[in-house]
């Protein structure tokens, strides 16, 4: 690893951003919660995909830590198995989609060929993978399959992801353009 300081900064940024999205989601969309951990709009899903796209493995590590903390101390404080599985899925699903995009979409580290259509496809695939993996976990833990939760997880993760990604795009557009010091105009 070339720069441990940068890696740690990306992990910490991911943790802070994810927890901030959990708090913001609770404030804005808390009334849209179906059951604990299942929301019709879930902004942290967007934070997950954004952080793995920006920070790759460091984003995945940050998501694992932050998700475990949120699951264990907030969503499922009395259920270590569910908190652990939820945190693993929360890190694996977006990182898996990042790896998929790198391999099948030819996504470079600079994200320069991540078009709007590719980002939409990636968002849908991520929401599908995340919802399915969470339901598989519930089934493996003997809690049964819940098609209604699967649908709500899918919709909530997709909407949350699109809100966060387009929100990030808007913020970037509002920032002043950086000038090129080598531009001789």
């Amino acid at each position: 690893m070339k720069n441990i300081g940068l890696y740690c900064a990306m992990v910490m940024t991911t943790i802070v951003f994810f927890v901030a999205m959990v708090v913001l989601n609770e404030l804005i969309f808390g009334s849209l919660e179906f059951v604990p951990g299942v929301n019709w709009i879930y902004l942290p899903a967007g934070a997950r995909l954004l952080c793995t796209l920006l920070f790759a493995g460091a984003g995945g590590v940050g998501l694992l830590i932050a998700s475990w903390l949120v699951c264990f101390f907030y969503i499922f404080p009395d259920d270590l198995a569910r908190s652990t599985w939820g945190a693993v899925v929360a890190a694996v699903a977006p990182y898996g989609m990042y790896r998929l995009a790198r391999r099948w979409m030819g996504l470079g580290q600079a994200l320069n060929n991540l078009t709007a259509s590719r980002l939409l496809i990636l968002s849908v695939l991520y929401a599908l993978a995340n919802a399915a993996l969470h339901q598989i976990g519930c089934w493996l833990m003997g809690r049964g399959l819940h098609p209604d939760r699967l649908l709500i997880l899918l919709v909530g993760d997709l909407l949350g992801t699109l809100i966060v990604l387009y929100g990030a795009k808007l913020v970037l557009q509002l920032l002043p353009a950086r000038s090129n010091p080598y531009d001789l105009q």
Side-chain angles (χ1 to χ4, degrees):
M1 186 169 307
K2 292 183 180 180
N3 190 338
I4 190 75
L6 177 61
Y7 185 86
C8 290
M10 291 187 292
V11 168
M12 289 304 299
T13 299
T14 299
I15 292 170
V16 169
F17 184 58
F18 180 78
V19 171
M21 288 295 105
V22 169
V23 171
L24 186 62
N25 198 83
E26 186 65 29
L27 291 172
I28 298 173
F29 303 116
S31 63
L32 298 178
E33 183 177 66
F34 181 67
V35 295
V38 179
N39 301 64
W40 281 101
I41 297 176
Y42 195 60
L43 297 175
R48 291 174 184 155
L49 188 57
L50 182 61
C51 288
T52 52
L53 286 173
L54 294 176
F55 305 138
V61 170
L63 289 173
L64 182 62
I65 294 167
S67 296
W68 188 79
L69 291 171
V70 167
C71 285
F72 187 73
F73 290 109
Y74 180 64
I75 300 174
F76 308 114
D78 299 324
D79 193 342
L80 181 61
R82 198 165 182 184
S83 292
T84 301
W85 178 260
V88 169
V89 170
V92 167
Y95 186 72
M97 290 305 104
Y98 164 75
R99 297 300 304 171
L100 178 85
R102 297 253 337 206
R103 183 177 188 137
W104 289 343
M105 293 180 177
L107 182 66
Q109 283 186 288
L111 305 178
N112 52 357
N113 61 343
L114 186 58
T115 63
S117 61
R118 286 180 172 183
L119 192 56
L120 180 60
I121 291 167
L122 196 57
S123 298
V124 170
L125 291 175
Y126 159 65
L128 280 167
N130 190 59
L133 286 173
H134 273 92
Q135 287 304 297
I136 289 169
C138 285
W139 179 71
L140 289 173
M141 288 183 275
R143 293 183 169 98
L145 292 176
H146 303 279
D148 54 343
R149 291 182 190 176
L150 177 71
L151 176 65
I152 296 167
L153 273 168
L154 174 64
V155 169
D157 285 356
L158 181 58
L159 291 175
T161 298
L162 294 175
I163 290 168
V164 169
L165 293 178
Y166 283 101
K169 180 178 172 33
L170 178 65
V171 167
L172 289 174
Q173 286 178 333
L174 294 175
L175 293 175
R178 291 189 286 167
S179 62
N180 184 348
Y182 303 106
D183 192 4
L184 300 174
Q185 289 184 356

